[in-house]
Amino acid sequence: VIAEPTIDDSKKIERGALASPQKFEYLLTGLTKGTNYYIRAYVSTQDGNTYYGETKEVITTESGLQVYYPFNSNFIDMSGNSNNATGNNKYVNDKNNNEGRAYDLTSGPIIINNRRYIGGFKGDMTISFWINISESNFNGDPKHLISKFAGCYARADDDGYYIYTDSESKKLSFYVIVDGRKNTFPLMKQSEIANNRWHHFVFTKSGKSLKFYLDGDFYTSYSSDFDTVNEPVFSDFSVS
């Protein structure tokens, strides 16, 4: 990601020389859904100098997108749905070494407080995130990476789900409970994901089909005996 575009980049639009100040408008086409774009105006003078305006971030959203957090040193939802989150302000560099574009979860979870339809299991859904974890996350109590489950706090029989580190199997696993029926689906081995590298994790649900992807490649799938979770009223959606 190029956060500060320059005229050395391949994608630029030129108006040519102007005899007087004019308003510049341009319709951007051919953009990819679910992508961050960085745009800024510039002017090049006859003496060979180039001057830039303020960089603007544009995010093209997917249809049905509920939340999107690029972590621009804040918890603002950039999907356009205003589902802003809360958390402790411990930001770190991301996989591209962009300052303040990732979040250190050892300082506490990111929570969307009681948003009933955020991260729920009703209908088809996709969850996608980048993560960098170490082997220590597989020691001791389970560490919930993504959670929509009140039971982990107070009500163990409420419907919900979470993706977590399992210290016994040494695997990343997916747990879900519906009407008292509990299912645990083992996923990536500790050695595949807890190696102090950034990994892209994707989970999709279509009907009763659950599919999991790692770093752009299909990893595994399961067929569940349910296709919906009745969301618990007291459940927050959290990244923790």
Side-chain angles (χ1 to χ4, degrees), residues 24-139:
F24 177 59
E25 294 182 344
Y26 190 86
L27 177 63
L28 296 174
T29 61
L31 303 181
T32 303
K33 290 182 178 181
T35 303
N36 290 53
Y37 291 92
Y38 298 90
I39 302 168
R40 63 176 174 175
Y42 73 93
V43 60
S44 295
T45 60
Q46 291 181 337
D47 57 9
N49 293 319
T50 299
Y51 303 92
Y52 296 97
E54 181 183 356
T55 299
K56 301 293 184 180
E57 182 177 19
V58 176
I59 300 173
T60 54
T61 61
E62 295 280 359
S63 175
L65 183 66
Q66 291 186 333
V67 295
Y68 173 58
Y69 303 114
F71 296 128
N72 296 322
S73 296
N74 58 52
F75 299 104
I76 295 176
D77 169 29
M78 297 297 290
S79 71
N81 297 316
S82 300
N83 293 312
N84 300 330
T86 59
N88 294 322
N89 297 321
K90 190 173 182 181
Y91 302 99
V92 295
N93 293 358
D94 68 6
K95 62 185 180 65
N96 294 318
N97 207 34
N98 292 316
E99 185 177 356
R101 296 300 298 269
Y103 182 77
D104 185 353
L105 290 168
T106 61
S107 64
I110 302 167
I111 295 177
I112 309 174
N113 295 297
N114 287 314
R115 292 300 179 100
R116 186 168 179 79
Y117 298 105
I118 300 301
F121 232 58
K122 294 184 177 181
D124 298 342
M125 63 179 293
T126 298
I127 295 176
S128 169
F129 58 89
W130 285 90
I131 191 167
N132 186 338
I133 59 177
S134 64
E135 292 183 358
S136 62
N137 293 106
F138 285 83
N139 298 330

Side-chain angles (χ1 to χ4, degrees), residues 3-240:
E4 296 292 338
T6 72
I7 59 173
D8 295 327
D9 303 326
S10 60
K11 297 186 181 300
K12 60 183 179 181
I13 301 160
E14 297 180 339
R15 284 288 304 272
L18 299 177
S20 61
Q22 297 180 25
K23 185 177 182 179
F24 177 59
E25 294 182 344
Y26 190 86
L27 177 63
L28 296 174
T29 61
L31 303 181
T32 303
K33 290 182 178 181
T35 303
N36 290 53
Y37 291 92
Y38 298 90
I39 302 168
R40 63 176 174 175
Y42 73 93
V43 60
S44 295
T45 60
Q46 291 181 337
D47 57 9
N49 293 319
T50 299
Y51 303 92
Y52 296 97
E54 181 183 356
T55 299
K56 301 293 184 180
E57 182 177 19
V58 176
I59 300 173
T60 54
T61 61
E62 295 280 359
S63 175
L65 183 66
Q66 291 186 333
V67 295
Y68 173 58
Y69 303 114
F71 296 128
N72 296 322
S73 296
N74 58 52
F75 299 104
I76 295 176
D77 169 29
M78 297 297 290
S79 71
N81 297 316
S82 300
N83 293 312
N84 300 330
T86 59
N88 294 322
N89 297 321
K90 190 173 182 181
Y91 302 99
V92 295
N93 293 358
D94 68 6
K95 62 185 180 65
N96 294 318
N97 207 34
N98 292 316
E99 185 177 356
R101 296 300 298 269
Y103 182 77
D104 185 353
L105 290 168
T106 61
S107 64
I110 302 167
I111 295 177
I112 309 174
N113 295 297
N114 287 314
R115 292 300 179 100
R116 186 168 179 79
Y117 298 105
I118 300 301
F121 232 58
K122 294 184 177 181
D124 298 342
M125 63 179 293
T126 298
I127 295 176
S128 169
F129 58 89
W130 285 90
I131 191 167
N132 186 338
I133 59 177
S134 64
E135 292 183 358
S136 62
N137 293 106
F138 285 83
N139 298 330
D141 294 333
K143 312 298 189 302
H144 295 187
L145 305 184
I146 297 290
S147 175
K148 181 70 174 177
F149 183 55
C152 58
Y153 306 110
R155 300 160 59 108
D157 293 326
D158 275 338
D159 290 356
Y161 67 91
Y162 52 84
I163 300 169
Y164 71 104
T165 59
D166 188 337
S167 60
E168 294 184 3
S169 68
K170 297 297 182 183
K171 289 185 177 182
L172 198 67
S173 297
F174 179 77
Y175 172 88
V176 63
I177 176 172
V178 181
D179 296 330
R181 293 173 293 157
K182 302 176 182 180
N183 293 267
T184 299
F185 304 107
L187 304 174
M188 297 85 186
K189 299 177 183 177
Q190 171 183 302
S191 59
E192 294 174 307
I193 198 167
N195 48 20
N196 294 306
R197 292 171 48 202
W198 284 98
H199 294 282
H200 187 217
F201 181 94
V202 176
F203 157 64
T204 68
K205 172 185 172 293
S206 178
K208 297 183 178 182
S209 175
L210 310 178
K211 294 183 179 180
F212 301 87
Y213 301 81
L214 183 65
D215 296 331
D217 295 323
F218 172 75
Y219 189 86
T220 190
S221 64
Y222 292 98
S223 180
S224 65
D225 60 354
F226 53 84
D227 61 6
T228 186
V229 163
N230 298 315
E231 294 185 82
V233 174
F234 302 105
S235 174
D236 297 331
F237 180 75
S238 67
V239 182
S240 54

